[in-house]
Amino acid sequence: MDGPEDSTGQPGPADRSHRSSVSSVGARAADVLVYLADDSMVPLAVENLPSLSAHELHRAIREVLQLPDIALDAFALWLVSPLLDEPSLQFRRNVFFPKRRELQIHDKEVLRLLYEEAKGNVLASRYPCDVEDCEALGALVCRVQLGPYQPGQPTACALREKLDSFLPAHLCKRGHGLFAALRGRGAKAGTGEQGLLNAYRRVQEAAGSDGEREASLSPHYRAYLLKCHELPFYGCAFFHGEIDKPAQGFLHRGGRKPVSVAISLDGVHVIDCREKHVLLGLRFQELSWDHTSPEEEESVLWLEFDGDNEGTPVNKLLKIYSKQAELMSSLIEYCIELSQAAEPAASQEAGPTSASGSSPPPHQRPQLRRQGSVVCSRIQHLSTIDYVEEGETIKRVKPKRTTSFFSRQLSLGQGSYTVVQPADSLEQG
């Protein structure tokens, strides 16, 4: 099967995975529990489990759920455990499944499973969203769970009682009034329950009779996924890490802060777990990377990207401490290989060339460009090592011009760097 058959990354609710997927083991058979995105389980009685391949197990799950063939590519099996001791087996979205193919899915159950996983990531703030987007997404959840909006019905009470089913927890804090205590970054005063209610009113219904519209939830599943496609980290795999805090105060105290590293076919994002916003977002053509193994020093993923120091261009190096550094590095490399292989196919799907002989531009997903958006990079919140090339050696700051520090980068002729040989040490001079 395509995709990661077992992974120590966070494909979803890894925090609730203190559960084993093998409930009983006998001489010949075992009861295997496979968890879905909505936290329901698919029990499977498996003969001779040690010799069962991931492909056979994937097929057994698809047969039980009666899923079409597209599910073979859309979903993967994940082994998830916070302590790497008793992993749970989860049937979740394949990180290597392109969003353009997701738009071609029409099967209701496949759409529902994708919707449930995306909803879980939004509600748990693994996908940071601005308040406006949380309200729009929450309104679609209202439509799925409560039915069409009905004027005059006690809708506000239903929203208030189940608010954390529609909005992330940090937007549900109560103070003097329902949403007076909004403290999420990017939140605006006066939003919240009323904003959710207004968005619920605006949810459009599909054409057809009242009974058909009420019975069919597929358009709302699809609408939710389309909205999530605007998020640059949709469909990514999550990994735990830490970064250095910028030195503060007279004693220049720093320390580390926990982050999530989100890797997808589109690039890499570093997300502040506490503040629920993006610290750094890079497409693959905007970065170089490498990792150091535990044998050399603490396991670290290095990301290099262009920046400036007091207005002068420099290379910035971000140091991410993580036991999963080697896994992240390998995933970045594989995502780049897949992206390169997929480009010719995507160009063919774009259609014939125009009369001028040039191909029409590929479909561009809308980017979120709000000022202060939680999905925008906050490089000023990062503690980076700034380098430039001075003569034949790479030295720390006092910059003159930018150049590449690592040799591992996108090799499409689209990168921002001129490749140079890696230096012997990460901190020369």
Side-chain angles (χ1 to χ4, degrees), residues 184-251:
R185 293 296 184 265
K188 297 179 180 179
T191 61
E193 182 183 352
Q194 188 58 48
L196 178 63
L197 186 61
N198 293 338
Y200 186 18
R201 291 192 185 103
R202 294 192 296 267
V203 173
Q204 297 181 355
E205 295 296 327
S209 65
D210 291 342
E212 291 174 342
R213 290 199 303 269
E214 191 162 347
S216 178
L217 295 176
S218 294
H220 306 297
Y221 296 149
R222 185 182 297 276
Y224 194 98
L225 295 173
L226 283 172
K227 185 66 177 174
C228 285
H229 283 194
E230 298 176 9
L231 302 172
F233 31 74
Y234 173 75
C236 63
F238 289 96
F239 301 87
H240 294 293
E242 292 182 324
I243 61 173
D244 292 315
K245 293 181 179 178
Q248 296 178 344
F250 177 74
L251 299 178

Side-chain angles (χ1 to χ4, degrees), residues 163-302:
L163 203 57
D164 58 358
S165 298
F166 310 123
L167 295 175
H170 67 282
L171 297 183
C172 299
K173 295 180 179 179
R174 302 170 187 268
H176 301 291
L178 185 58
F179 273 84
L182 272 177
R183 290 184 292 175
R185 293 296 184 265
K188 297 179 180 179
T191 61
E193 182 183 352
Q194 188 58 48
L196 178 63
L197 186 61
N198 293 338
Y200 186 18
R201 291 192 185 103
R202 294 192 296 267
V203 173
Q204 297 181 355
E205 295 296 327
S209 65
D210 291 342
E212 291 174 342
R213 290 199 303 269
E214 191 162 347
S216 178
L217 295 176
S218 294
H220 306 297
Y221 296 149
R222 185 182 297 276
Y224 194 98
L225 295 173
L226 283 172
K227 185 66 177 174
C228 285
H229 283 194
E230 298 176 9
L231 302 172
F233 31 74
Y234 173 75
C236 63
F238 289 96
F239 301 87
H240 294 293
E242 292 182 324
I243 61 173
D244 292 315
K245 293 181 179 178
Q248 296 178 344
F250 177 74
L251 299 178
H252 299 285
R253 291 177 178 173
R256 296 180 183 177
K257 69 164 59 179
V259 295
S260 290
V261 182
I263 301 174
S264 70
L265 292 174
D266 293 331
V268 180
H269 287 79
V270 180
I271 299 171
D272 190 315
C273 297
R274 181 176 179 273
E275 299 297 333
K276 319 297 184 189
H277 62 212
V278 171
L279 293 170
L280 179 67
L282 297 169
R283 295 173 297 170
F284 290 126
Q285 57 264 44
E286 296 173 329
L287 64 86
S288 294
W289 87 99
D290 212 333
H291 76 279
T292 52
S293 64
E295 291 77 16
E296 300 172 20
E297 56 173 287
E298 189 173 359
S299 184
V300 170
L301 176 72
W302 294 88

Side-chain angles (χ1 to χ4, degrees), residues 1-2 52-63 71-77 91-92:
M1 59 173 280
D2 290 340
L52 188 69
S53 70
H55 184 86
E56 292 170 329
L57 187 57
H58 197 284
R59 181 177 59 192
I61 298 168
R62 299 198 315 272
E63 290 175 352
L72 176 63
D73 297 328
F75 298 100
L77 293 173
F91 188 73
R92 310 191 72 83

Side-chain angles (χ1 to χ4, degrees), residues 32 46-57 60:
V32 178
V46 178
E47 293 288 336
N48 199 8
L49 180 60
S51 66
L52 188 69
S53 70
H55 184 86
E56 292 170 329
L57 187 57

Side-chain angles (χ1 to χ4, degrees), residues 151-167:
Q153 296 294 321
T155 306
C157 294
L159 296 186
R160 188 176 300 113
E161 292 172 358
K162 302 174 62 177
L163 203 57
D164 58 358
S165 298
F166 310 123
L167 295 175

